[in-house]
Amino acid sequence: TNTALDEAELEVTTQGKSSRYLQVNIPEYRLRLYDQDKVLLEMKTIIGRRSRQTPSFSAEIKSLLVNPSWNVPRSIAYRDILPKWQKDKTYLARHNLRVIAGWDMPRVVVPDEQIDLESMYRSPAYHRIWEPPSDKNTLGRLKFQLNAGNSIYLHDTKNPHLFESEVRAFSSGCIRLEKPRILADMLLQQSNQWTPQQLEPLFENTDTHRIRLETPIPVHITYWTAWLDDKGILNFADDLYHRDPVDWAHFKSQEQQLQQKVALN
């Protein structure tokens, strides 16, 4: 099953490396920070909705951003933002969103009267949507950058009330954290020997700061609908993404292929 495959992958990827790592178990809506297989920190997460699933993968956090801006992906822009802006021309301004041209610095803001829906994310000028840093930014005040190359990362949120829900599949694929500041303090203390007092001044304004972790930390995004906790108790979670039947069929196919090879020998 997917659970068995994920467990095997996690075991292999952590062998010979630091004993400290993060795990986000998608169906459980939880993040845990481990060291020597002991849980140092645990918190709720918000994961991708069924139509925009958070994938399973392993990566590393090599840096974190204080006061991040948000480069809105084309898929989110076309699904969620541009249709609303087309109906209400005040939508971008009310949500602190800008249309900017290309990736040059300093950023070039496109005036409202020059915004063309047909050229968004397409033209040579590459007009796209961007949200500047603020205390109301969609990503919150902290972003934990992953090096997986799939545009998935961990971040804060401007909507903390969503953590009160039992089923927390609200995002477009990225993972929102209940306690991002506590996680940042712990990672920087362990990796860079920073104290919380060193990080605090960076939140006094909305300037963006990138902090490189001297010791990157592995992150494993798993899809375990069944697992044993540290007390040996078997836990179950709903198969939100309906992955278990597919993974079970794949597992049975591999098993049959192995049996056929054994029979031929």
Side-chain angles (χ1 to χ4, degrees):
T1 66
N2 196 93
T3 299
L5 294 173
D6 280 352
E7 286 178 339
E9 180 182 1
L10 193 153
E11 182 178 357
V12 169
T13 53
T14 55
Q15 285 179 350
K17 295 186 177 182
S18 170
S19 60
R20 186 176 296 118
Y21 63 93
L22 286 166
Q23 181 192 9
V24 176
N25 190 29
I26 297 168
E28 195 185 0
Y29 311 101
R30 306 291 293 186
L31 173 144
R32 293 180 179 88
L33 171 62
Y34 288 92
D35 191 8
Q36 300 289 348
D37 293 326
K38 294 182 179 180
V39 178
L40 301 183
L41 178 65
E42 183 174 352
M43 70 183 69
K44 297 176 182 178
T45 64
I46 291 171
I47 51 92
R49 66 198 78 166
R50 188 174 295 173
S51 60
R52 307 181 193 182
Q53 300 179 12
T54 301
S56 300
F57 63 96
S58 291
E60 288 183 325
I61 296 176
K62 292 191 173 182
S63 63
L64 59 88
L65 291 176
V66 178
N67 300 316
S69 62
W70 184 35
N71 294 302
V72 181
R74 175 178 176 173
S75 59
I76 295 178
Y78 273 86
R79 287 181 183 180
D80 301 334
I81 298 175
L82 293 178
K84 295 176 182 177
W85 177 82
Q86 197 168 18
K87 294 179 181 178
D88 176 8
K89 296 304 181 182
T90 68
Y91 182 85
L92 296 184
R94 288 190 295 104
H95 289 82
N96 196 31
L97 297 170
R98 315 276 195 274
V99 174
I100 61 174
W103 298 89
D104 292 337
M105 297 295 288
R107 296 180 178 88
V108 178
V109 178
V110 180
D112 290 350
E113 62 272 14
Q114 296 181 20
I115 297 174
D116 178 14
L117 286 179
E118 296 300 322
S119 66
M120 291 290 293
Y121 293 86
R122 294 175 181 171
S123 69
Y126 202 76
H127 292 178
R128 60 191 179 86
I129 299 176
W130 174 75
E131 183 181 6
S134 74
D135 56 0
K136 300 295 184 181
N137 186 277
T138 300
L139 305 185
R141 305 295 297 272
L142 280 163
K143 174 183 176 182
F144 301 81
Q145 191 71 50
L146 300 178
N147 63 349
N150 58 7
S151 299
I152 302 295
Y153 43 84
L154 315 179
H155 66 86
D156 187 11
T157 178
K158 64 178 181 180
N159 297 312
H161 65 277
L162 293 177
F163 290 106
E164 298 172 6
S165 300
E166 183 176 351
V167 178
R168 296 185 295 277
F170 302 120
S171 85
S172 293
C174 287
I175 299 160
R176 306 176 198 172
L177 305 179
E178 179 190 21
K179 306 171 186 176
R181 176 59 195 276
I182 296 176
L183 178 61
D185 286 340
M186 293 189 71
L187 295 187
L188 288 171
Q189 181 179 11
Q190 295 164 353
S191 173
N192 298 20
Q193 287 74 56
W194 277 34
T195 66
Q197 289 73 25
Q198 289 174 272
L199 187 61
E200 187 62 33
L202 303 185
F203 293 95
E204 294 176 357
N205 55 50
T206 58
D207 295 338
T208 300
H209 302 272
R210 181 182 296 274
I211 306 171
R212 183 180 64 86
L213 294 183
E214 295 178 5
T215 304
I217 182 165
V219 180
H220 304 286
I221 314 298
T222 59
Y223 191 87
W224 295 0
T225 53
W227 68 95
L228 290 173
D229 61 23
D230 54 1
K231 297 180 180 178
I233 298 174
L234 182 60
N235 294 265
F236 296 95
D238 290 338
D239 183 13
L240 176 69
Y241 295 161
H242 303 300
R243 291 184 186 176
D244 281 354
V246 176
D247 292 319
W248 179 249
H250 177 70
F251 177 81
K252 294 300 290 183
S253 175
Q254 288 184 320
E255 185 180 43
Q256 290 174 358
Q257 292 176 16
L258 179 60
Q259 290 174 347
Q260 290 173 356
K261 289 182 180 179
V262 172
L264 291 174
N265 293 333

